[in-house]
Amino acid sequence: MGQDRGKYDFYIGLALAISSSIFIGGSFILKKKGLLRLAKKGSMRAGQGGHAYLKEWLWWAGLLSMGAGEAANFAAYAFAPATLVTPLGALSVLVSAVLSSYFLTERLNLHGKLGCLLSILGSTTMVIHAPKEEEIASLEDMAKKLVDPGFFVFATLVVIVALIFIFVVSPRHGQTNILVYITICSVIGALSVSCVKGLGIAIKEAIAGKNVFKTPLAWILLLGLVGCVSTQINYLNKALDIFNTSLVTPIYYVFFTTSVLTCSAILFKEWGHMGADDMIGTLSGFLTIIVGIFLLHAFKDVSVSLATLAVSIRKEDHAAPAANGTASHSNYELLHSESTEDLDRGLPYDSVSRRNGALTSSLDV
């Protein structure tokens, strides 16, 4: 019964994670459509300090969709392993890219389509090989895991690295190096996911009738989550303000997901139930998603399609005879006829040599 219950929870968490990506990805489109409608009406844009979007129902629909997505993502951590939920966040980028090509007339080039396909394949691979069982089922189990020496050392290192980057590295290199702010967000993100996981379990127990909020751990997790999320939002906004979004998004996804996977392996021992084939499959799926996200973002401004590839292939086919000597032979015949005409006109060999660059004058010999 316990094993069946674990699989049941796994599929609930999976459904919540996928629905979260759909809601969050769709929210960007709804907000963008609302802002575009306001721009057509001549209202002051949000980037210029206007707040007319507060009267636009599409913008509010996008905000509600974002809230629903974040709530679903929060709930997903209570049912499914963080190793599964966190990487599936990449699907929101995919959903946003696909919907924007249909509703915002933003063209999705060949690289983007390949990136979407790879992201789907990678996500499917991770779902198949992700751990199906949980090590933590209650706040008591969470408390035991938090005092584990392995996690204590990991959390200490995370805090030290974050403080060094915030107070030492960030003032010197934050404005010029894209990795500084992203690293701060990513390492703190591992702790925020741990807090979300613990609070999700606490809410799950509260729904079952247990009075879990009398325990100090629930409030410690809540305060920890507020502090971690505030830090992440602050430094992620700085990164987005200074650097190109198409660079920040994929790099942040890779760093953040890697940090969460490491934390999950240490704290929740999710990898302890996995065989070697499942570990390889999970890592392969994660790497496939990374490649897909990279293709989707890095080349989104490059105009590449199957039509342009077909044109380039035809050009290569036309140029191919040159490699076989056919074009060289025809060029030689053309030059030979031209040189003969020049000789008939009384032009010296020297001028012929300078004009076509292929024949040499006998005066130079």
Side-chain angles (χ1 to χ4, degrees):
M1 287 294 292
Q3 187 175 5
D4 292 338
R5 179 65 183 176
K7 290 184 178 180
Y8 180 71
D9 287 348
F10 173 84
Y11 289 116
I12 292 177
L14 174 61
L16 287 170
I18 294 175
S19 63
S20 169
S21 296
I22 295 173
F23 280 119
I24 293 175
S27 70
F28 293 111
I29 308 303
L30 291 171
K31 286 183 178 180
K32 184 71 173 180
K33 289 283 287 185
L35 294 174
L36 290 175
R37 285 180 58 174
L38 290 174
K40 288 181 179 179
K41 295 177 182 177
S43 302
M44 182 178 290
R45 307 186 68 165
Q48 299 171 343
H51 297 88
Y53 57 85
L54 294 175
K55 299 178 181 178
E56 177 59 51
W57 70 269
L58 271 177
W59 186 88
W60 281 104
L63 184 64
L64 292 175
S65 178
M66 175 71 76
E70 293 296 345
N73 188 64
F74 185 94
Y77 282 104
F79 293 93
T83 303
L84 172 71
V85 177
T86 303
L88 288 182
L91 292 179
S92 63
V93 180
L94 184 151
V95 171
S96 178
V98 173
L99 291 179
S100 63
S101 66
Y102 284 98
F103 297 103
L104 299 178
T105 64
E106 295 180 2
R107 188 172 181 180
L108 190 63
N109 61 14
L110 184 60
H111 288 105
K113 293 175 182 177
L114 290 175
C116 291
L117 178 61
L118 288 174
S119 297
I120 293 173
L121 292 176
S123 301
T124 303
T125 303
M126 291 204 70
V127 169
I128 294 172
H129 294 281
K132 305 294 189 297
E133 300 177 16
E134 291 274 20
E135 276 283 333
I136 298 177
S138 64
L139 278 182
E140 288 78 8
D141 294 337
M142 186 74 180
K144 294 177 183 177
K145 295 293 183 183
L146 289 175
V147 296
D148 185 79
F151 177 74
F152 183 79
V153 172
F154 173 80
T156 303
L157 289 175
V158 164
V159 172
I160 292 174
V161 169
L163 292 176
I164 291 175
F165 269 77
I166 290 173
F167 295 106
V168 179
V169 182
S170 174
R172 298 178 182 178
H173 307 288
Q175 300 290 321
T176 56
N177 193 324
I178 192 173
L179 298 180
V180 175
Y181 293 143
I182 292 178
T183 300
I184 296 172
C185 296
S186 301
V187 296
I188 293 297
L191 299 181
S192 67
V193 167
S194 302
C195 294
V196 168
K197 183 79 173 176
L199 285 174
I201 293 173
I203 294 173
K204 192 177 174 182
E205 287 190 314
I207 294 175
K210 295 182 180 179
N211 193 2
V212 295
F213 289 101
K214 283 187 175 181
T215 61
L217 180 59
W219 296 105
I220 292 173
L221 291 173
L222 180 60
L223 292 175
L225 178 62
V226 172
C228 290
V229 170
S230 301
T231 304
Q232 283 182 270
I233 292 174
N234 179 38
Y235 286 98
L236 183 59
N237 284 335
K238 287 185 177 182
L240 291 172
D241 184 52
I242 298 172
F243 303 102
N244 195 321
T245 305
S246 62
L247 292 176
V248 174
T249 302
I251 295 175
Y252 176 58
Y253 170 79
V254 174
F255 277 46
F256 174 72
T257 308
T258 302
S259 179
V260 171
L261 292 178
T262 304
C263 181
S264 298
I266 296 173
L267 175 60
F268 304 122
K269 303 293 190 299
E270 292 174 350
W271 294 67
H273 300 287
M274 301 168 64
D277 56 339
D278 288 329
M279 290 182 182
I280 295 173
T282 300
L283 293 176
S284 298
F286 177 47
L287 293 175
T288 304
I289 296 175
I290 291 174
V291 175
I293 294 296
F294 176 77
L295 287 175
L296 188 60
H297 280 275
F299 301 101
K300 68 177 183 179
D301 296 325
V302 179
S303 180
V304 179
S305 63
L306 290 176
T308 56
L309 287 178
V311 171
S312 63
I313 291 173
R314 285 198 295 270
K315 287 181 178 179
E316 290 177 0
D317 290 340
H318 286 307
N324 299 327
T326 307
S328 301
H329 180 66
S330 60
N331 290 338
Y332 172 76
E333 291 181 354
L334 177 62
L335 293 173
H336 180 70
S337 62
E338 289 179 354
S339 62
T340 306
E341 293 175 0
D342 290 332
L343 289 174
D344 291 339
R345 297 190 189 102
L347 295 175
Y349 281 55
D350 185 9
S351 63
V352 177
S353 175
R354 286 195 298 270
R355 188 182 69 181
N356 56 47
L359 299 177
T360 57
S361 170
S362 61
L363 299 175
D364 298 330
V365 178

